[in-house]
Amino acid sequence: MRPSALWALLLLPAGVLAQGCPADCQCNQPRTVFCISRRSHTVPHGLPPDTASLYIFENGIRALSEDSFVEVPALQLLDLSQNQLSSLPRNVFQSLPSLCNLDLSSNQLHEISNETFHGLHLLERLYLDHNRIQHIHPAAFSSLENLLELKLQDNQLHVVPPLSLPTLLLLDISRNRVTALEPGTFHAPNLESLKMAGLGLGRLDEELLHSLQNLHELDISGNLLARVPRVLRQLRGLTKLSLAGNGQISQLQPEDFQELHSLQELDISKLSLHSLPRDFFGSFSRLKVITAAENPFNCVCQLSWLVHWLSTSKVSLRRSEETRCHFPPKNAGRLLQHLEYADFGCPTTTTLKATSPKLATSAPSSRHVPPTPSAAGSTPGEGSSTATPSTVLEGDPSPETRLCPPHTCLNGGACQLDTSNHLECVCPPGFSGLYCETKVWATTPPAATQAPTHPTRVAIKHVGGTSLKVDLQNYVQSKTQLKGIRLTYRNLSGPDKRPVTLSLPASLAEYTVRALKPNSSYHICIGPLGDRGQEEDLCVEAHTLQLTQQQQHAPVTQGRDPNLALVVVPAMAAVLLLVAAVAAVSYYARRRRQGKTPATPVVGSGPLELEGVKACLENGDLAGHGQRLPEKTVMPHGLEYEVPLMQPQYTSAATPRALRPSYF
């Protein structure tokens, strides 16, 4: 053999020299084959028989056969995500008895039969999310006795089959078409993370979750719950809870959360909360993160404790730029975290020096006194019992010592004690509400006038290419005792036609919906809040204009009203731009590498950042890097459960890859 030919053989990677490698694939890593973005319709052939990890995502594969994987019997990880598979043959994975990670996400699957996963007794992770699955056979997962993670989110399921999976730790069924879950659906006593976001659930049966005593994470956001589920009182091991997006929940009661002593993260954003009970977070001694954005908070005296608690505790407030006041007018639109005690309109307390007995001026009890909404719209002395603090014996509990802060009641309302010695506002005719702040439209028209006619259409005005202004004035004037307005819109032109529902106060004359798609058709409806299904909504179809260079998308939803400012300012544009830039650089770098001589790929970089790459838990070893799973932890009340498999997600580039979580 000529010396030049010998040197050429020595320079080839070891995997290519020993076994060869399919075209457009890389086999440089030991027992690992990468066939990424091949744009082929079939599984590559000629794979090394000892291959343990096979990545063939984004290949355009349209079909599999029963012999697609017979030449790789030692396979442990198979990533088939982001292909075009519409069905799976019977026993297609029968030849892979050692497989423990299978990713079929982002395909076009319609059905899962009872024979699809036969033979996969060691399978630990099964990802079927982002498909078109409408039906799953009740026995489809019966042979997967070692399954740890099952992802079914973003499909078209109407029914979730009974899941009897004793080892399961994570289950995600979010954003399907399941509107009800039968008791007994989950037979998974070791389940740690359950995600049921965006299903349209109107209630949560206690029997559905009462057996999941090992549950650490529960996501029931984006549903139609009208109150906090009582079953939370039984889930004492929860560390992460999301109730976000259940817009019908207007109150939180401390007793619904009193058993959640281990809670670390709580998301109560996008509800209809006007206030929170005093010291609501007192039961959460381990709380680290709270999200309360997009709530119509009344920033009055009753809520002043929250700002003080946020400033003194070590709890982080997420989405603080979207946590704003909606009432009273002087605080509307202001960041809740930036308010000071004086901004809440609380009365000042002055102590008087005196001889025995010691005298002090009494301040109204925050437990009984309605908070001061604002002095706006009222004159001195209007709606208040007195403007001068009274001098009383310190410690005197008599109800007469409780005072109305100045301007507590608006629009001429009178402040007085009710039968329970609590302060209340007696409103004049034409006004209602806790502080007489809401104008009540006449239930019967004057004799000389005719009853208001119901509007027959919704008036829409264009505001640039990505915003539509909805006229609410005619609709409000046609209603009597309107609690609020429900505004719903959905995009008829794009692939995502799920409706977005907003809860608006009845005092708005118009509402501008922003951050819409340009040159698109939208279906917009308005109806009474809290009266879903009892009265037909008014709907209209509107078309957004073509976006010009001067117009920009503004992810802000804002209502214009002289008495109320609704400001939501999420700062997402910069983040999306950064993610797009990083993705583009990674993609072109990968394509450039594929066009050159195969080089040794680095595990955890480039395409390996996709969710399709998973690590196998073998004998308690986390991600194959020698990290042992945590031992069992004994919690108060005698509860014993495994420490969550979820690990903190590290974003620093210097963080070792071994510390990445087992699932995302």
Side-chain angles (χ1 to χ4, degrees), residues 359-415:
L359 299 179
T361 59
S362 64
S365 170
S366 60
R367 181 177 181 183
H368 303 297
V369 178
T372 305
S374 174
S378 62
T379 58
E382 180 183 43
S384 61
S385 61
T386 179
T388 306
S390 61
T391 304
V392 298
L393 289 176
E394 187 175 56
D396 185 0
S398 63
E400 290 75 17
T401 62
R402 300 191 181 97
L403 301 176
C404 276
H407 317 303
T408 296
C409 303
L410 302 178
N411 298 307
C415 186

Side-chain angles (χ1 to χ4, degrees), residues 500-618:
V500 178
T501 302
L502 305 173
S503 299
L504 309 177
S507 57
L508 282 181
E510 58 187 23
Y511 191 88
T512 302
V513 183
R514 301 183 184 273
L516 303 177
K517 298 292 184 181
N519 197 25
S520 300
S521 295
Y522 280 86
H523 188 72
I524 302 176
C525 297
I526 58 175
L529 187 64
D531 195 25
R532 186 182 296 271
Q534 298 182 7
E535 183 176 335
E536 186 175 354
D537 293 350
L538 291 178
C539 300
V540 67
E541 185 172 324
H543 195 85
T544 54
L545 302 177
Q546 182 68 38
L547 188 65
T548 62
Q549 294 182 354
Q550 288 77 18
Q551 295 170 327
Q552 298 180 355
H553 288 281
V556 178
T557 305
Q558 181 177 356
R560 295 180 57 191
D561 182 22
N563 295 323
L564 183 64
L566 303 174
V567 183
V568 180
V569 190
M572 295 298 295
V575 177
L576 292 176
L577 183 60
L578 179 60
V579 171
V582 173
V585 172
S586 175
Y587 177 81
Y588 285 110
R590 183 178 75 235
R591 300 295 292 178
R592 187 175 181 181
R593 287 199 302 269
Q594 292 179 352
K596 297 181 179 180
T597 303
T600 303
V602 180
V603 176
S605 62
L608 296 183
E609 291 297 331
L610 294 174
E611 188 176 343
V613 181
K614 316 303 184 300
C616 182
L617 285 173
E618 297 178 350

Side-chain angles (χ1 to χ4, degrees), residues 10-237:
L10 292 177
L11 291 175
L12 286 175
V16 176
L17 182 63
Q19 300 292 347
C21 194
D24 299 326
C25 296
Q26 294 182 355
C27 308
N28 311 88
Q29 288 288 327
R31 303 186 64 191
T32 301
V33 177
F34 302 95
C35 303
I36 304 171
S37 301
R38 290 172 56 248
R39 297 304 176 190
S40 174
H41 299 315
T42 60
V43 175
H45 293 286
L47 295 167
D50 64 339
T51 300
S53 300
L54 176 59
Y55 301 99
I56 48 177
F57 55 83
E58 200 179 353
N59 274 232
I61 299 175
R62 296 179 178 176
L64 300 175
S65 62
E66 293 189 12
D67 59 349
S68 293
F69 306 105
V70 293
E71 61 183 20
V72 283
L75 204 61
Q76 298 178 14
L77 185 150
L78 175 60
D79 193 331
L80 284 165
S81 63
Q82 304 179 63
N83 284 291
Q84 301 177 23
L85 297 172
S86 59
S87 62
L88 297 172
R90 293 168 33 180
N91 304 320
V92 63
F93 305 112
Q94 188 81 32
S95 61
L96 304 176
S98 301
L99 194 67
C100 62
N101 292 278
L102 176 59
D103 192 341
L104 293 164
S105 62
S106 300
N107 278 278
Q108 302 174 17
L109 299 175
H110 291 273
E111 184 179 3
I112 303 297
S113 72
N114 61 332
E115 298 179 332
T116 303
F117 304 117
H118 271 189
L120 301 183
H121 299 289
L122 299 181
L123 192 67
E124 294 180 347
R125 289 171 184 82
L126 176 59
Y127 296 165
L128 296 167
D129 52 284
H130 294 86
N131 278 278
R132 302 175 182 176
I133 302 174
Q134 299 180 7
H135 180 261
I136 297 178
H137 193 279
F141 310 124
S142 59
S143 62
L144 308 180
E145 59 266 21
N146 289 306
L147 196 64
L148 298 177
E149 302 176 16
L150 176 60
K151 293 189 175 183
L152 296 169
Q153 72 268 26
D154 295 286
N155 279 287
Q156 300 175 14
L157 290 172
H158 290 274
V159 177
V160 176
L163 301 174
S164 182
L165 300 169
T167 61
L168 194 66
L169 298 179
L170 178 143
L171 174 63
D172 194 341
I173 59 173
S174 300
R175 294 174 297 281
N176 276 277
R177 299 178 179 177
V178 182
T179 57
L181 291 169
E182 297 295 329
T185 300
F186 306 132
H187 297 279
N190 292 312
L191 194 65
E192 294 180 350
S193 177
L194 177 59
K195 301 180 180 181
M196 301 186 293
L199 294 183
L201 298 175
R203 61 187 300 269
L204 204 58
D205 199 298
E206 291 190 47
E207 297 182 6
L208 181 69
L209 305 179
H210 82 280
S211 63
L212 306 181
Q213 294 299 311
N214 197 47
L215 202 62
H216 301 299
E217 177 181 358
L218 178 61
D219 186 353
I220 49 177
S221 61
N223 283 286
L224 301 176
L225 300 175
R227 64 180 306 275
V228 177
R230 292 176 59 87
V231 71
L232 295 183
R233 306 180 186 188
Q234 305 176 25
L235 305 177
R236 294 178 290 179

Side-chain angles (χ1 to χ4, degrees), residues 647-660:
Q647 302 292 330
Q649 298 202 29
Y650 301 90
T651 57
S652 173
T655 305
R657 294 290 179 183
L659 297 180
R660 292 182 61 83

Side-chain angles (χ1 to χ4, degrees), residues 344-458:
F344 289 88
C346 296
T348 57
T349 301
T350 307
T351 302
L352 303 178
K353 295 183 179 180
T355 58
S356 181
K358 188 175 181 180
L359 299 179
T361 59
S362 64
S365 170
S366 60
R367 181 177 181 183
H368 303 297
V369 178
T372 305
S374 174
S378 62
T379 58
E382 180 183 43
S384 61
S385 61
T386 179
T388 306
S390 61
T391 304
V392 298
L393 289 176
E394 187 175 56
D396 185 0
S398 63
E400 290 75 17
T401 62
R402 300 191 181 97
L403 301 176
C404 276
H407 317 303
T408 296
C409 303
L410 302 178
N411 298 307
C415 186
Q416 67 178 23
L417 293 176
D418 61 12
T419 55
S420 301
N421 292 326
H422 298 168
L423 289 177
E424 65 177 1
C425 290
V426 179
C427 302
F431 295 93
S432 65
L434 186 60
Y435 317 105
C436 306
E437 74 277 8
T438 303
K439 182 176 179 58
V440 179
W441 301 101
T443 57
T444 57
T449 61
Q450 189 178 4
T453 59
H454 293 280
T456 58
R457 62 185 302 273
V458 181

Side-chain angles (χ1 to χ4, degrees), residues 296-336:
F297 284 123
N298 289 348
C299 295
V300 292
C301 191
Q302 190 177 10
L303 197 63
S304 60
W305 69 270
L306 180 58
V307 176
H308 175 73
W309 178 81
L310 288 171
S311 62
T312 56
S313 68
K314 297 181 180 179
V315 177
S316 173
L317 179 65
R318 286 182 179 170
R319 299 175 61 189
S320 59
E321 289 294 322
E322 302 168 69
T323 310
R324 297 175 178 262
C325 302
H326 283 206
F327 188 84
K330 69 171 185 178
N331 290 334
R334 299 180 63 184
L335 294 178
L336 180 66

